[in-house]
Amino acid sequence: MINAAFSAFTPVTARRTFGQPSVGHTTPPQHVSPPSTSTPGSARKRQEWPPAVRSYVQRSFADENMSPDVDRHEMEITLKQVISQSVEAGTLDSVDWDNLPLPQAMIQNGRRHDQNSHMSPRPFQSNENTISAYHETNKTTSKKRTSSSLDHDGGSGHDTAPWNQAGSRNAFESRISYPDKRARNDSKSSQVLDGRKKRFENTKVAPSPPRPWRASGIQEMSTEEPKGPIVGRCQDLEKKYFRLTSAPNPDTVRPLAVLEKTLEHLKKKWREEKNYFYICDQFKSLRQDLTVQHIKTGFTINAYEIHARIALEKGDLGEYNQCQTQLRALYALNLGGHPSEFMAYRILYFLHTSNKTDMNDALADLTPAEKEDSAVKHALATRSALALGNYHRFFQLFLDTPNMGAYLMDMFVARERLSALSMICRTYKPDVKLRFVTEELAFESDDECARFICNNGAEHFLEQRDDSVRLLTGKAMTYFEAALKAAAAPKT
């Protein structure tokens, strides 16, 4: 029974390969010898590092040798580079690893070298001189090509390129790759920079030889740039304005004596011709000549004040603001002029623009002497009337504006008339005489007042009764309020 039980099982040989098993018959069990370990499929040979290299790596990461200013990742990259370069150069056993500086020391030395040579820091370039000091210069070179080791004979390795034949460089040093493409030959960088510095220091503009076609009395123009402001040599009274795109040429700039004659000429031209575009262009040219020559005198203030008044008369707020800005700086130098007059203009301009912030600054800048000036008093009274909503007082001041302030008030009087009409419509109902509105809002005539009302959409609320024209205030109020909102809205 036991033998029959054992015969029920057919012994087979265990598979030891990936090939297809033979089919059709079974092979009796045989003794199989173990496979040889020397077959090609065996494990790859492990790299055996010399004890000196292992000791060098351990000393690099020892706690007592770690430096707080050297990053561990940077140190690992440097260490890997040192060992891999030694393997490629075949000098792994010949390097004195016990005396070779640690990676952190190489990095610190490289940083100091970069600082001394005024070059941008490069983390691995500094190791070049330190590593090359521990290698012989005539050892086996790598068969790989780099951008700094290409030669003309197909890479024989003996005839190096001319730019790679420095005596201090060797085969190991020439294979270092730099992260920055601009980094080249750190061992020669200091010499190159010194050479450039000396070359530029010693460079001087050679004097040009005398030219025979020049007159004997005319000297060569100096090539040195002027140290101070230029002095003009142009004698023309009139000159078009051109925006400067380079240094001013003295031959096209008029000196102060000519500019004084030019100002008188322009004043006469303005009185006779009233051609604002021509006068504005000439005044801008005059101001430019004053600026490039750094002329800041009473004449400068006079020129800017005249231009600002003409710009106000023609409603050119752009040129007026430019002149006003320069006049503020010139008045601070106590060179004369009319600072109180232009302070009054400044207050009225801020009323026109409804700029409360700049208005507060202007009021804070007022001196006791300016507050006693009649023009400044008028401007302050106008501001007070608008702040209180006293349109009756405002239009009285409008009819009695000193100097050229009326041109500024003309710019916002329409807005204040709409505001006053809204107040009249709330107060006087059901109607008022048109003559009353004309006198209260400082119109020159009833016709002008009626045109103003019609232009703001309330023409249907003017009625002829008996011998007078009346404004239906109860119905026209909404129209004036809508027109006031449109007038007060910021212009885009």
Side-chain angles (χ1 to χ4, degrees):
M1 294 293 292
I2 296 177
N3 293 335
F6 282 126
S7 62
F9 298 95
T10 303
V12 295
T13 305
R15 291 183 62 182
R16 298 184 181 276
T17 63
F18 290 100
Q20 293 292 337
S22 58
V23 181
H25 66 278
T26 57
T27 305
Q30 297 178 359
H31 176 72
V32 181
S33 60
S36 176
T37 57
S38 61
T39 60
S42 62
R44 186 177 298 177
K45 184 179 179 181
R46 184 178 180 182
Q47 176 69 41
E48 294 292 338
W49 300 104
V53 178
R54 295 182 179 179
S55 176
Y56 179 76
V57 175
Q58 294 175 356
R59 285 188 288 109
S60 299
F61 292 98
D63 294 339
E64 61 272 11
N65 295 328
M66 297 298 290
S67 179
D69 59 340
V70 177
D71 184 46
R72 182 182 179 91
H73 177 67
E74 185 179 7
M75 190 178 68
E76 290 176 354
I77 295 177
T78 305
L79 179 62
K80 182 178 179 180
Q81 182 185 17
V82 171
I83 296 176
S84 61
Q85 290 171 354
S86 298
V87 173
E88 292 178 4
T91 58
L92 195 62
D93 297 327
S94 60
V95 174
D96 187 3
W97 296 99
D98 294 334
N99 296 322
L100 183 69
L102 297 178
Q104 48 265 46
M106 295 181 183
I107 295 173
Q108 292 173 346
N109 292 336
R111 291 174 180 174
R112 286 193 293 268
H113 185 274
D114 288 339
Q115 292 176 357
N116 295 334
S117 59
H118 303 284
M119 298 181 68
S120 59
R122 293 182 288 271
F124 309 124
Q125 185 177 349
S126 59
N127 302 333
E128 180 178 328
N129 296 332
T130 307
I131 300 173
S132 61
Y134 292 89
H135 297 283
E136 297 179 3
T137 58
N138 295 323
K139 293 293 182 179
T140 305
T141 59
S142 172
K143 295 182 180 180
K144 296 181 180 179
R145 289 192 177 190
T146 61
S147 60
S148 60
S149 62
L150 293 176
D151 47 34
H152 300 281
D153 59 355
S156 61
H158 299 285
D159 299 328
T160 58
W163 57 81
N164 203 26
Q165 292 180 354
S168 61
R169 295 179 60 88
N170 53 30
F172 181 65
E173 184 181 4
S174 65
R175 289 195 305 277
I176 297 178
S177 61
Y178 303 99
D180 188 355
K181 292 183 178 180
R182 296 172 299 176
R184 300 180 184 277
N185 300 337
D186 187 49
S187 59
K188 301 160 74 175
S189 59
S190 299
Q191 299 178 4
V192 172
L193 288 177
D194 293 341
R196 289 179 182 174
K197 187 184 298 184
K198 292 179 181 179
R199 183 169 71 253
F200 285 106
E201 286 178 354
N202 297 331
T203 301
K204 294 182 179 179
V205 179
S208 58
R211 298 172 183 170
W213 60 83
R214 288 188 177 273
S216 58
I218 302 178
Q219 298 181 353
E220 289 285 341
M221 294 180 61
S222 175
T223 57
E224 297 181 357
E225 296 183 358
K227 297 181 180 179
I230 66 171
V231 178
R233 296 191 289 264
C234 180
Q235 300 297 316
D236 299 334
L237 291 181
E238 298 182 8
K239 188 185 75 169
K240 288 186 177 182
Y241 170 76
F242 293 101
R243 187 181 299 276
L244 290 177
T245 57
S246 60
N249 184 2
D251 293 333
T252 60
V253 178
R254 294 163 292 186
L256 179 59
V258 178
L259 292 176
E260 291 175 349
K261 298 178 182 178
T262 298
L263 182 60
E264 296 299 324
H265 174 70
L266 295 179
K267 289 163 62 177
K268 182 179 178 182
K269 278 267 191 179
W270 174 247
R271 287 192 296 267
E272 294 175 353
E273 300 179 4
K274 296 290 183 178
N275 187 347
Y276 177 70
F277 295 102
Y278 165 80
I279 289 295
C280 182
D281 181 78
Q282 293 298 314
F283 264 99
K284 289 173 68 175
S285 176
L286 186 150
R287 287 161 42 193
Q288 185 183 69
D289 289 349
L290 291 171
T291 301
V292 298
Q293 296 179 95
H294 298 187
I295 298 176
K296 296 181 180 180
T297 61
F299 170 77
T300 307
I301 294 180
N302 188 27
Y304 274 96
E305 287 180 346
I306 293 174
H307 192 188
R309 294 188 185 104
I310 294 176
L312 277 181
E313 184 177 349
K314 304 305 293 186
D316 189 352
L317 291 182
E319 291 299 326
Y320 163 76
N321 282 328
Q322 292 184 21
C323 295
Q324 178 74 285
T325 301
Q326 294 298 323
L327 284 172
R328 287 188 61 194
L330 293 171
Y331 289 148
L333 301 177
N334 297 322
L335 299 175
H338 303 83
S340 298
E341 175 189 350
F342 280 85
M343 174 57 75
Y345 296 156
R346 190 178 171 204
I347 295 174
L348 294 177
Y349 174 77
F350 292 146
L351 291 176
H352 164 56
T353 58
S354 301
N355 193 333
K356 297 181 180 179
T357 302
D358 288 342
M359 173 66 77
N360 293 334
D361 294 340
L363 297 179
D365 293 339
L366 286 174
T367 62
E370 289 175 337
K371 292 179 181 179
E372 297 299 325
D373 183 81
S374 59
V376 176
K377 282 184 175 181
H378 173 272
L380 293 176
T382 303
R383 187 201 70 84
S384 178
L386 290 179
L388 297 173
N390 188 348
Y391 64 86
H392 181 79
R393 175 61 175 160
F394 171 81
F395 288 105
Q396 284 182 338
L397 293 169
F398 172 70
L399 295 175
D400 191 25
T401 307
N403 301 323
M404 303 187 71
Y407 290 104
L408 279 169
M409 295 188 70
D410 283 340
M411 297 179 184
F412 61 94
V413 68
R415 181 186 67 200
E416 301 307 323
R417 279 172 172 164
L418 289 173
S419 176
L421 278 171
S422 299
M423 295 181 185
I424 291 174
C425 289
R426 293 193 199 98
T427 308
Y428 300 93
K429 293 182 179 180
D431 54 48
V432 293
K433 289 185 178 181
L434 183 63
R435 187 61 192 172
F436 172 78
V437 178
T438 301
E439 293 175 352
E440 283 295 316
L441 304 188
F443 285 106
E444 293 183 358
S445 62
D446 290 346
D447 291 340
E448 183 184 1
C449 179
R451 283 196 302 269
F452 180 81
I453 294 174
C454 293
N455 291 337
N456 288 279
E459 64 273 10
H460 302 294
F461 306 108
L462 291 175
E463 290 187 357
Q464 181 75 32
R465 293 183 183 178
D466 299 332
D467 57 346
S468 62
V469 178
R470 289 181 172 273
L471 173 65
L472 303 180
T473 55
K475 299 179 180 180
M477 181 179 64
T478 55
Y479 288 86
F480 292 131
E481 289 179 349
L484 176 59
K485 291 180 180 180
K491 303 297 187 295
T492 58

